[in-house]
């Protein structure tokens, strides 16, 4: 089984699909949690305190990091294999999808943008929340408590350049997901003439829902912080 997952092209794509599905589920959860910061900043902080540096949150963080690492490593391996076999044609699929052809040809580039954005996000939030709590500190470098995520969001997105950077990051994630969500179903053989339009629609809905949810938090905190008091 391990040889199939590491040596065969189908096995590698299966690992990409499974790890990708796991990451999509996490992103949906994370987006839903962030939207709470619009509805109730106090409720959002309660969620942050519930998670914090508790053992289950630490286990989840470790599993998430492993999922990202596996997904990215296999993306590099598949891209290298595709270059050897078909030149610059990447992530080849049996059904052509004109609507996301650019995304399908630039998945690795989009993945790099998403990864860089993730590291920036870790610096802006994880390092000032869970890491601070792990270090036993009662406040981060900005003076906020490790569970005061709402204040941290308000501070970060009061700065226009972070608003622009995050929106670009979300846009790259949207393109990545419009192809990635559909592609992971295609890998398991669901992309036939009947399921293709349904899966395309599902991929667009999931990607758009994630984009709108994350973008709403950024824009509301930037344009209307007084509404959140």
């Amino acid at each position: 089984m391990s040889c199939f997952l590491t040596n065969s092209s189908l096995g590698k794509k299966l690992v990409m699909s499974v790890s990708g599905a796991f990451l999509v589920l996490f992103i949906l959860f994370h987006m839903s949690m962030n939207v709470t910061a619009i509805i109730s900043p106090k409720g959002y902080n309660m969620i942050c305190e519930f998670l914090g540096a508790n053992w289950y949150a630490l286990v989840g963080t470790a599993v998430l990091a492993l999922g990202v690492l596996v997904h990215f490593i296999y993306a590099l391996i598949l891209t290298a294999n595709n270059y050897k076999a078909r030149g610059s044609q990447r992530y080849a699929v049996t059904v052509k999808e004109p609507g996301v052809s650019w995304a399908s040809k630039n998945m690795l580039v989009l993945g790099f943008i998403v990864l860089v954005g993730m590291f920036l996000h870790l610096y802006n939030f994880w390092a000032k929340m869970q890491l601070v709590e792990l270090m036993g500190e009662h406040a981060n470098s900005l003076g906020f408590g490790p569970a005061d995520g709402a204040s941290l969001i308000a501070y970060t997105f009061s700065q226009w350049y972070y608003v622009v950077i995050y929106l670009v990051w979300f846009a790259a994630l949207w393109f990545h997901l419009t192809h990635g969500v559909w592609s992971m179903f295609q890998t398991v053989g669901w992309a036939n003439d009947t399921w293709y339009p349904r899966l395309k629609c599902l991929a667009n809905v999931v990607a758009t829902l994630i984009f709108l949810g994350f973008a709403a938090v950024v824009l509301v905190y930037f344009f209307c912080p007084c509404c959140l008091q």
Side-chain angles (χ1 to χ4, degrees):
M1 182 63 177
S2 60
C3 292
F4 168 73
L5 296 178
T6 56
N7 296 334
S8 73
S9 177
L10 182 58
K12 294 171 186 174
K13 290 181 180 179
L14 184 60
V15 172
M16 281 285 291
S17 298
V18 173
S19 60
F22 164 73
L23 294 176
V24 169
L25 290 175
F26 170 79
I27 292 171
L28 282 168
F29 163 76
H30 192 46
M31 180 273 293
S32 302
M33 188 179 79
N34 282 14
V35 170
T36 306
I38 300 177
I39 302 170
S40 171
K42 291 183 179 179
Y44 178 74
N45 284 349
M46 289 177 62
I47 296 174
C48 293
E49 186 174 2
F50 173 74
L51 294 175
N54 296 304
W55 69 268
Y56 44 82
L58 294 176
V59 170
T61 300
V63 172
L64 176 63
L66 179 62
V68 171
L69 183 63
V70 169
H71 193 74
F72 188 69
I73 289 175
Y74 272 77
L76 291 175
I77 294 172
L78 281 170
T79 301
N81 291 345
N82 286 336
Y83 265 125
K84 292 178 182 179
R86 293 180 294 274
S88 61
Q89 183 181 354
R90 310 171 202 172
Y91 291 88
V93 294
T94 56
V95 181
K96 293 184 179 180
E97 186 180 0
V100 292
S101 58
W102 183 86
S104 65
K105 293 178 182 178
N106 293 276
M107 286 294 281
L108 189 64
V109 174
L110 291 168
F112 269 112
I113 296 174
V114 171
L115 192 64
V116 170
M118 186 190 71
F119 281 120
L120 176 64
H121 189 61
L122 289 173
Y123 168 76
N124 281 332
F125 290 92
W126 178 80
K128 294 178 174 65
M129 296 180 72
Q130 191 178 71
L131 181 60
V132 169
E133 189 172 346
L134 280 173
M135 295 174 64
E137 302 291 336
H138 298 291
N140 56 38
S141 58
L142 299 173
F144 304 136
D148 193 1
S151 295
L152 191 54
I153 291 176
Y155 170 80
T156 302
F157 297 124
S158 66
Q159 303 170 77
W160 67 267
Y161 48 87
Y162 273 133
V163 173
V164 173
I165 291 172
Y166 270 75
L167 289 178
V168 170
W169 180 34
F170 299 152
L173 182 61
W174 184 88
F175 279 109
H176 195 75
L177 291 177
T178 53
H179 178 74
V181 172
W182 171 81
S183 182
M184 70 184 184
F185 286 114
Q186 187 272 341
T187 298
V188 296
W190 285 9
N192 52 37
D193 292 339
T194 300
W195 278 96
Y196 169 72
R198 299 174 185 175
L199 296 176
K200 177 183 177 182
C201 179
L202 176 63
N204 289 335
V205 168
V206 170
T208 302
L209 181 64
I210 289 172
F211 174 83
L212 292 177
F214 281 130
V217 176
V218 173
L219 295 175
V220 168
Y221 269 82
F222 180 71
F223 286 108
C224 194
C226 59
C227 301
L228 303 164
Q229 301 299 325

